[in-house]
Amino acid sequence: MRPSAPPSPTHVGTGASDVTRPVRSKLSDVGHILVGGAPRSGKSVLTRALIFQALLSNVEAATRHTVHIAGIDLTGITLNPALFEGLPQLFGAGIASDRSGAETLLSEIEAEAARREQLFRQVPTLPEKLAEYNAAVAPSQRLPVVL
């Protein structure tokens, strides 16, 4: 973790520095976050907080849909679909809480990945990252981050 960086669509608070300054991490740089702990230690609360931070840091840009979220939680506890209902940033089926919904959402994510691969190939600079693609295309063609 490093000290706070300027906000971006995927910056979220991830802790405090050794001098108790807030530390923000860019999810696209981190790649994966492992949330572990004993039962009732706040893992679900942290997971929801990270998601809502990413969404709230994009409140002004919600109409541009700079961040979309999708999730699978077969227990329906951590990512209770009612918490996310009606959000414009939901990707596809949004939050799946049963096997059928999870299969549907995974199919939608797979189709979106294939669509994005084709779009990336059409850019002369052959971008490897979403930020590179979005920098190379017109604002109306930019793609959102999907968490």
Side-chain angles (χ1 to χ4, degrees), residues 71-74 91-111:
I72 297 172
D73 179 9
L74 298 180
F91 173 82
I95 306 298
S97 59
D98 60 29
R99 183 177 178 179
S100 174
E103 289 172 354
T104 299
L105 183 56
L106 288 172
S107 293
E108 291 172 345
I109 291 169
E110 183 179 24

Side-chain angles (χ1 to χ4, degrees), residues 4-87:
S4 293
S8 88
T10 59
H11 271 112
V12 294
T14 52
S17 70
D18 56 346
V19 290
T20 65
R21 282 186 296 203
V23 174
R24 295 174 62 83
S25 298
K26 190 172 181 183
L27 292 177
S28 56
D29 290 345
V30 174
H32 295 87
I33 296 176
L34 173 64
V35 178
R40 305 194 53 77
S41 63
K43 298 179 296 294
S44 295
V45 173
L46 174 63
T47 301
R48 281 191 300 270
L50 291 172
I51 292 168
F52 281 116
Q53 281 184 64
L55 293 176
L56 288 174
S57 63
N58 290 281
V59 156
E60 293 109 25
T63 56
R64 292 193 311 254
H65 302 290
T66 55
V67 172
H68 285 178
I69 61 166
I72 297 172
D73 179 9
L74 298 180
T75 66
I77 296 169
T78 301
L79 301 178
N80 183 333
L83 294 173
F84 302 93
E85 191 173 313
L87 290 177

Side-chain angles (χ1 to χ4, degrees), residues 105-125:
L105 183 56
L106 288 172
S107 293
E108 291 172 345
I109 291 169
E110 183 179 24
E112 177 65 8
R115 183 181 82 85
R116 288 178 178 219
E117 182 179 2
Q118 292 301 317
L119 291 172
F120 275 46
R121 288 181 180 176
Q122 294 172 9
V123 176
T125 57

